[in-house]
Every structure is written in structure tokens, then in C-alpha cells.
Amino acid sequence: QVQLVESGGGLVQPGGSLRLSCAASGAFFRFNAMGWYRQAPGKERELVAIITIGGSINYADSVKGRFTISENNAKNTVYLQMNSLKPEDTAVYYCYHRNYVGNSSWGQGTQVTVSS
């Protein structure tokens, strides 16, 4: 079972930046996919950004040009750099990992609040 530990959430003013980190442990091989979802109050969980084993990266349209996902293979860690944050980015952000046989794991979630 893969364990995911997230960090980096918090309170930031509109226009500010935050960097989320997600460290994976317990995986024997590189992930098949790893990335970030978010869930705002009263809304469904949605994809924010994801990296697949082929190296392709997908972003939600709402974050393109503002958010950047990256990885550190040696540390089994993915990062989400979030710039130009907006109040509508407020949500709980969840790290997601899918292993080479298709099993999915989720982090515990980290709160991101964008407010003045």
C-alpha cells in the first residue's frame, strides 16, 4: 500500500502563491500516474494537474498558466506550484497516486484558502 504525505497548504491572499508537496512511500516502482485533485465545499472532487508515466502532463483549464506540476523521481515526490491564486481556488487539495497495476491511493488532503 502506497502512503502519501502532503504538505504546503495554508491561507494566502488573492494573487499570492503556494507550493504543495506530496511524498510517496511504499511503492516499489515509479508511479503510473501521480498528481493533484481538489474538492471545494458542496462540489465534486476535480482534477487539478497530473503527470503520467509517459511524461505527459494534464491541467484543468481553470489552472492552466497559473499552476505547474513537477516531480522529483529520486524523492518519489510531486509538487504543485500555484501562482496567481484566486478565491475560487479555495479547496481541499488531495494528492493522487496510481501504481503500475492500476491501484489508486489518496493523501489525507491539505486545505488551501485564498482570501483577503
Side-chain angles (χ1 to χ4, degrees), residues 5-112:
V5 178
E6 302 142 334
S7 61
L11 172 64
V12 64
Q13 292 186 342
S17 298
L18 283 174
R19 188 191 194 210
L20 305 183
S21 299
C22 176
S25 61
F28 291 103
F29 301 100
R30 187 175 181 269
F31 57 78
N32 179 272
M34 193 166 175
W36 297 91
Y37 284 72
R38 68 186 180 187
Q39 188 167 18
K43 295 187 177 181
E44 294 187 355
R45 192 172 296 189
E46 63 175 359
L47 173 70
V48 176
I50 196 162
I51 299 174
T52 64
I53 191 170
S56 65
I57 293 176
N58 292 312
Y59 292 100
D61 287 343
S62 60
V63 307
K64 285 180 181 177
R66 301 188 297 122
F67 291 10
T68 302
I69 189 170
S70 60
E71 62 170 316
N72 183 324
N73 271 338
K75 296 183 178 180
N76 292 323
T77 300
V78 293
Y79 306 94
L80 186 68
Q81 178 66 43
M82 305 185 294
N83 298 328
S84 302
L85 282 160
K86 304 175 181 180
E88 51 263 44
D89 294 317
T90 295
V92 178
Y93 284 68
Y94 295 92
C95 182
Y96 169 80
H97 179 283
R98 184 172 71 236
N99 68 11
Y100 67 101
V101 295
N103 295 326
S104 295
S105 300
W106 293 92
Q108 79 282 3
T110 184
Q111 177 70 46
V112 172

